[in-house]
Amino acid sequence: MAPTLGMKFTNPTELKQCLTNYAVKHGYDLWYEKNDKNRLLVKCCKGKEPTCPFRLWASWMQEERTFQIKSLKSSHNCGRVYKIGLVNYKWIGKQYFNVLLENPRLSLRKMKAQISSTYNIIVSIGQCRNAKKFALSEIEGTLKEHYSRLWDYGIEIKRANPGSTVEGCRQIIGIDGCFLKGICKGELLAAVGRDANNSMFPLAWDVVTVENKDTWKWFLDLLMDDIDRGSGNGLTLISDGHKLTKKGFLMLSTDYVLGTY
């Protein structure tokens, strides 16, 4: 959207976002001559000849709390540039929020190439690196905020749909085994849990001659007895993809079914 005289914004940041989008779309080399919380003076092509006539002035309105464009010379006589000064890592991160949500392992070089192809601008690997960190931190924060509202969501389900059942988070135990090398051979079986601070702590461990169905059943039977959970009802056991895995699950006995991750 091109800026127009009298256009109103919630704050200067919102106007800057609009100006960056405008600069990227047309390849204008905009820059801020004055830039603070109360005023914004924007010009084009700093230090270049001939001087571009574009000029935008914005400040807060007196009678309402909105940031307004109060004077504007919208014409340009400059050519397209491909390195836009207004483009920073936060702008890139916001554009790539959904892309990185679906593919957080997108490489910086591919990201740089995609930006060049999509927006017809040049950005650096450093900008892409910072943009990726920014976007992933925003994604993590958003997910934490959503998960923090699960209890409110559960209460609303019960209110709006009487008879519904809403369960809390199930207690989880992670189990795994590894080879022991050196003088003492064998397999180390271990079970870990998470405390209220989301920190892992060991529940049990043992050394066996081989990792198989029988040794795992023996280990888990002792673990259930020690923590007084009987057949393990109410517990979620998570394991890696063990070689005994069949169709996504590892059946150790009629009592335990381990979901793989």
Side-chain angles (χ1 to χ4, degrees):
M1 180 185 297
T4 58
L5 183 63
M7 187 178 287
K8 298 178 182 180
F9 300 87
T10 304
N11 50 50
T13 301
E14 191 175 276
L15 173 54
K16 290 177 185 177
Q17 179 73 19
C18 173
L19 289 170
T20 303
N21 294 341
Y22 170 68
V24 169
K25 181 178 180 180
H26 300 283
Y28 293 142
D29 190 16
L30 303 184
W31 61 284
Y32 301 132
E33 183 171 291
K34 296 185 184 298
N35 177 17
D36 56 44
K37 62 181 181 180
N38 295 316
R39 57 186 181 169
L40 193 65
L41 176 58
V42 187
K43 295 184 178 181
C44 188
C45 297
K46 183 178 182 180
K48 296 180 181 178
E49 295 293 341
T51 303
C52 182
F54 180 88
R55 184 184 186 278
L56 181 148
W57 169 262
S59 62
W60 290 101
M61 298 182 67
Q62 293 183 352
E63 297 180 358
E64 57 182 277
R65 194 61 180 169
T66 54
F67 201 73
Q68 185 182 37
I69 298 176
K70 295 184 176 179
S71 69
L72 175 66
K73 293 181 179 178
S74 59
S75 61
H76 290 267
N77 62 6
C78 55
R80 166 176 281 276
V81 297
Y82 298 95
K83 193 168 184 179
I84 308 297
L86 299 191
V87 171
N88 56 29
Y89 73 90
K90 288 187 178 181
W91 183 87
I92 299 171
K94 289 177 181 178
Q95 310 310 308
Y96 264 68
F97 185 91
N98 291 329
V99 175
L100 292 171
L101 181 61
E102 295 181 1
N103 183 17
R105 294 189 176 183
L106 178 68
S107 73
L108 298 179
R109 293 190 179 277
K110 286 185 178 180
M111 185 175 173
K112 182 178 183 296
Q114 288 180 9
I115 292 170
S116 176
S117 174
T118 303
Y119 299 102
N120 200 22
I121 60 175
I122 298 172
V123 296
S124 67
I125 289 292
Q127 285 178 307
C128 292
R129 182 181 297 108
N130 291 333
K132 188 173 182 179
K133 288 181 180 178
F134 171 76
L136 293 178
S137 66
E138 290 290 302
I139 291 169
E140 182 179 349
T142 300
L143 292 177
K144 286 183 178 179
E145 180 182 345
H146 287 178
Y147 274 105
S148 69
R149 302 183 64 183
L150 280 177
W151 289 113
D152 293 336
Y153 178 62
I155 292 172
E156 179 60 21
I157 288 176
K158 289 182 177 181
R159 185 199 65 78
N161 302 277
S164 298
T165 299
V166 178
E167 294 184 5
C169 296
R170 302 184 68 186
Q171 298 182 49
I172 294 177
I173 295 177
I175 60 174
D176 199 1
C178 68
F179 290 102
L180 294 177
K181 299 180 180 180
I183 297 176
C184 299
K185 308 290 185 181
E187 293 269 350
L188 174 67
L189 307 183
V192 298
R194 286 189 178 273
D195 61 20
N197 292 323
N198 201 33
S199 298
M200 291 190 296
F201 62 94
L203 287 173
W205 62 271
D206 192 33
V207 177
V208 294
T209 56
V210 64
E211 182 182 9
N212 58 25
K213 177 179 177 180
D214 292 332
T215 54
W216 268 116
K217 183 180 184 304
W218 169 80
F219 178 77
L220 291 175
D221 282 338
L222 289 177
L223 176 61
M224 294 300 107
D225 288 342
D226 288 341
I227 63 177
D228 195 24
R229 295 308 297 262
S231 64
N233 184 36
L235 285 176
T236 300
L237 301 181
I238 303 178
S239 77
D240 63 0
H242 188 267
K243 62 184 179 181
L244 296 179
T245 298
K246 183 178 181 181
K247 294 182 179 179
F249 293 97
L250 171 58
M251 180 68 77
L252 297 181
S253 71
T254 56
D255 295 328
Y256 309 117
V257 179
L258 309 184
T260 61
Y261 62 83

